[in-house]
Amino acid sequence: MTQIATHGVKLTDVAAQKVKSLLEQEGRDDLRLRVAVQPGGCSGLIYQLYFDERLLDGDAIAEFEGVEVVVDKMSVPYLDGALIDFADSIERQGFTIDNPNAQGSCACGESFH
């Protein structure tokens, strides 16, 4: 029996509802929210959030309000304790990531180190 790892990323209720809404618009119930860290951006690392139907070897999974959030094994240490929220205001619209592991970020807020 293979045990599936979990991760320390959290998804707010507002973000979970937005993910559910987007999945309903897509007409898909087989997708998960994948959160990853990739090299790039002005500060060295960038976040990636996208829907994925695959589960890869070593993925860590957690569920929030019926939404599965998947993090690959290489990204888990960079994202431990991160909080994903969704903002919908005049100033900002979209998903935000509050990551306690980020020591600094660029002016645009799209990358961190």
Side-chain angles (χ1 to χ4, degrees), residues 24-90:
E24 286 174 12
Q25 289 175 17
E26 291 290 320
R28 304 272 305 262
D29 61 0
D30 62 330
L31 298 175
R32 300 163 182 87
L33 179 65
R34 182 172 289 278
V35 185
V37 172
Q38 298 291 322
C42 6
S43 293
L45 296 170
I46 57 171
Y47 298 111
Q48 290 189 325
L49 278 80
Y50 57 95
F51 293 127
D52 198 350
E53 60 191 13
R54 305 165 299 148
L55 278 179
L56 305 174
D57 188 37
D59 278 348
I61 304 171
E63 187 175 317
F64 304 92
E65 302 288 322
V67 173
E68 284 187 337
V69 177
V70 179
V71 180
D72 65 89
K73 64 182 172 185
M74 299 300 289
S75 298
V76 167
Y78 294 103
L79 295 169
D80 190 41
L83 179 67
I84 301 173
D85 197 4
F86 184 81
D88 190 4
S89 67
I90 292 173

Side-chain angles (χ1 to χ4, degrees), residues 4 19 30 51 68 103-104 112:
I4 297 175
V19 170
D30 62 330
F51 293 127
E68 284 187 337
Q103 295 177 352
F112 71 100

